[in-house]
């Protein structure tokens, strides 16, 4: 289990839920669902070392994406930023639908040509765009309907602004014990992020209600982005038993400057309350599994670290 950490003078915790970190030209950019800002857009913070952050530094009063420039009027959640054709794209949820906007820099302003979601069918949240080595691009997302949150995937068109609806597939739903410890009527599998390793695809995701102390992270593997997906038998790999913090989950994979893999995610504010959620990282790595012959993904408990902001 991770040790508790003390703040240094002049620092305060980062309170960012559903976080993502984007790396470009030596600088890390942090975005997420931001406390009382979540109805206005996404602020952005920067760092050189992945631990101490400055900001907000977005082009619009600290925001990289601001309501009015893009699809959505409220509930800006779970952003992801990527670079494509020398432009920066942000995929996000607003009004429980998915929007995509474009900017010339990671600081924004991100803009949309049309103020519409990529799909108006059902409620959809938690987008993650994955560019495969063969040039195809996919978006993983969560459908909120029919008694639960379930993870889907669909192939995208070359513009990264629209999808090939006929390719949509179900990836993950919460159907094992660790994924619904409270036996809630509404089951939850959400927060997808994907990485390719040795020709195999690894889909990390979170399960349980985010308010549960057992909100945690597991993964599944597949030979194709479109599935089928097989869940790791020893899930979850990131849990309060690993971090020492309740509600550890919903994040993104980050590759550091030395190719070290990290997972950035949020935890509950404290043992007594959930919100505002704290932002943290933990090191992850692939380890050979002699039993299956498939590398397993593991987290290093001692590497758990809360992100800090300079006051």
């Amino acid at each position: 289990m991770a040790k508790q950490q003390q703040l240094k003078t002049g620092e305060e915790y980062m309170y960012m839920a559903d976080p993502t970190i984007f790396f470009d030209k030596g600088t890390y950019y942090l975005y997420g669902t931001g406390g009382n800002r979540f109805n206005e857009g996404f602020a952005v913070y920067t760092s050189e070392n992945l631990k101490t952050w400055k900001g907000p530094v977005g082009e619009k009063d600290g925001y990289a994406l601001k309501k009015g420039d893009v699809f959505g009027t409220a509930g800006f959640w779970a952003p992801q930023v990527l670079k494509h054709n020398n432009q920066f794209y942000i995929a996000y949820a607003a009004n429980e639908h998915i929007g995509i906007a474009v900017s010339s820099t990671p600081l924004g302003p991100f803009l949309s040509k049309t103020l519409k979601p990529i799909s108006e069918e059902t409620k959809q949240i938690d987008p993650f765009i994955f560019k495969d080595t063969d040039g195809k691009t996919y978006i993983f997302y969560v459908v909120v309907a029919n008694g639960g949150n379930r993870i889907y995937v669909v192939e995208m068109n070359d513009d990264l602004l629209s999808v090939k609806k006929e390719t949509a597939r179900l990836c993950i739903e919460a159907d094992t014990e660790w994924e619904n410890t409270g036996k809630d009527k509404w089951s939850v599998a959400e927060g997808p992020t994907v990485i390719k390793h040795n020709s195999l695809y690894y889909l990390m995701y979170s399960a349980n209600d985010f308010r549960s102390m057992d909100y945690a992270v597991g993964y599944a593997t597949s030979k194709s982005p479109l599935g089928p997906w097989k869940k790791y038998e020893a899930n979850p790999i990131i849990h309060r038993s690993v971090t020492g913090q309740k509600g550890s989950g919903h994040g993104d994979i980050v590759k550091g400057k030395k190719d070290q893999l990290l997972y950035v995610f949020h935890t509950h504010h404290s043992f007594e309350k959930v919100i505002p959620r704290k932002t943290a990282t933990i090191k992850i790595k692939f380890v050979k599994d002699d039993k299956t012959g498939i590398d397993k993904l593991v987290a290093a408990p001692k590497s758990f670290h809360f992100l800090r902001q300079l006051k």
Side-chain angles (χ1 to χ4, degrees):
M1 182 182 292
K3 294 181 179 179
Q4 298 293 320
Q5 302 160 7
Q6 299 297 321
L7 290 173
K8 296 179 181 179
T9 302
E11 294 181 340
E12 59 185 7
Y13 290 118
M14 288 294 306
Y15 294 103
M16 190 83 75
D18 316 329
T20 186
I21 293 175
F22 174 72
F23 178 68
D24 185 61
K25 296 180 180 178
T27 300
Y28 297 96
Y29 299 84
L30 171 69
Y31 313 77
T33 305
N36 60 4
R37 291 174 172 265
F38 80 97
N39 279 324
E40 296 297 325
F42 298 109
V44 57
Y45 298 79
T46 60
S47 175
E48 305 302 319
N49 60 14
L50 280 172
K51 293 182 179 180
T52 305
W53 297 80
K54 299 177 181 179
V57 292
E59 288 294 327
K60 282 203 166 184
D61 301 321
Y63 290 87
L65 178 149
K66 193 75 181 290
K67 181 173 69 175
D69 292 336
V70 298
F71 162 75
T73 58
F76 288 85
W77 301 337
Q80 180 222 0
V81 173
L82 73 157
K83 192 174 185 178
H84 176 69
N85 290 341
N86 295 317
Q87 293 285 322
F88 298 89
Y89 289 69
I90 187 168
Y92 64 95
N95 301 98
E96 294 187 288
H97 284 79
I98 293 171
I100 298 177
V102 185
S103 172
S104 59
T105 79
L107 299 178
F110 284 89
L111 307 172
S112 297
K113 292 181 179 179
T114 59
L115 305 185
K116 293 183 178 180
I118 61 172
S119 174
E120 296 181 284
E121 299 174 9
T122 73
K123 293 180 179 179
Q124 299 179 359
I125 59 173
D126 297 357
F128 178 82
I129 297 176
F130 173 74
K131 295 173 66 175
D132 204 352
T133 50
D134 64 1
K136 292 183 178 180
T137 305
Y138 304 83
I139 186 167
F140 291 80
Y141 59 100
V142 173
V143 171
V144 181
N146 302 320
N149 291 10
R150 297 175 179 85
I151 299 171
Y152 282 75
V153 63
V154 65
E155 187 177 343
M156 302 192 79
N157 290 309
D158 292 340
D159 61 4
L160 262 61
L161 299 175
S162 57
V163 300
K164 301 176 181 179
K165 293 183 179 181
E166 70 278 5
T167 66
R169 302 285 189 276
L170 172 66
C171 299
I172 298 288
E173 55 185 326
D175 55 9
T176 65
E177 185 175 352
W178 80 268
E179 295 169 329
N180 191 358
T181 59
K183 295 180 171 55
D184 298 325
K185 291 182 179 179
W186 190 278
S187 62
V188 174
E190 61 186 16
T193 181
V194 178
I195 188 170
K196 190 176 185 179
H197 172 72
N198 289 347
S199 300
L200 201 63
Y201 301 86
Y202 290 72
L203 167 57
M204 295 183 72
Y205 66 97
S206 297
N208 285 299
D209 188 296
F210 78 91
R211 292 165 293 192
S212 168
M213 65 180 178
D214 285 322
Y215 193 64
V217 180
Y219 74 88
T221 57
S222 174
K223 295 180 180 179
S224 165
L226 295 175
W229 295 89
K230 182 180 180 181
K231 296 176 182 177
Y232 177 49
E233 292 180 355
N235 280 337
I237 64 167
I238 300 172
H239 177 262
R240 59 188 170 91
S241 61
V242 174
T243 65
Q245 305 294 320
K246 292 181 178 180
S248 296
H250 199 137
D252 196 4
I253 297 171
V254 186
K255 183 175 284 190
K257 294 179 180 179
K258 297 181 180 180
D259 289 336
Q260 167 66 60
L261 292 179
L262 301 170
Y263 186 74
V264 58
F265 60 105
H266 68 241
T267 74
H268 287 179
H269 180 269
S270 65
F271 277 67
E272 291 75 34
K273 65 178 184 177
V274 175
I275 296 172
R277 288 163 285 178
K278 292 179 181 176
T279 315
T281 60
I282 194 168
K283 291 181 180 179
I284 57 175
K285 64 180 179 179
F286 292 100
V287 176
K288 185 177 180 180
D289 188 338
D290 293 328
K291 181 180 177 181
T292 64
I294 298 173
D295 288 355
K296 58 185 177 182
L297 194 55
V298 300
K302 292 183 179 179
S303 69
F304 173 83
H305 182 88
F306 281 122
L307 302 190
R308 295 100 185 278
Q309 178 183 2
L310 295 174
K311 292 182 181 180

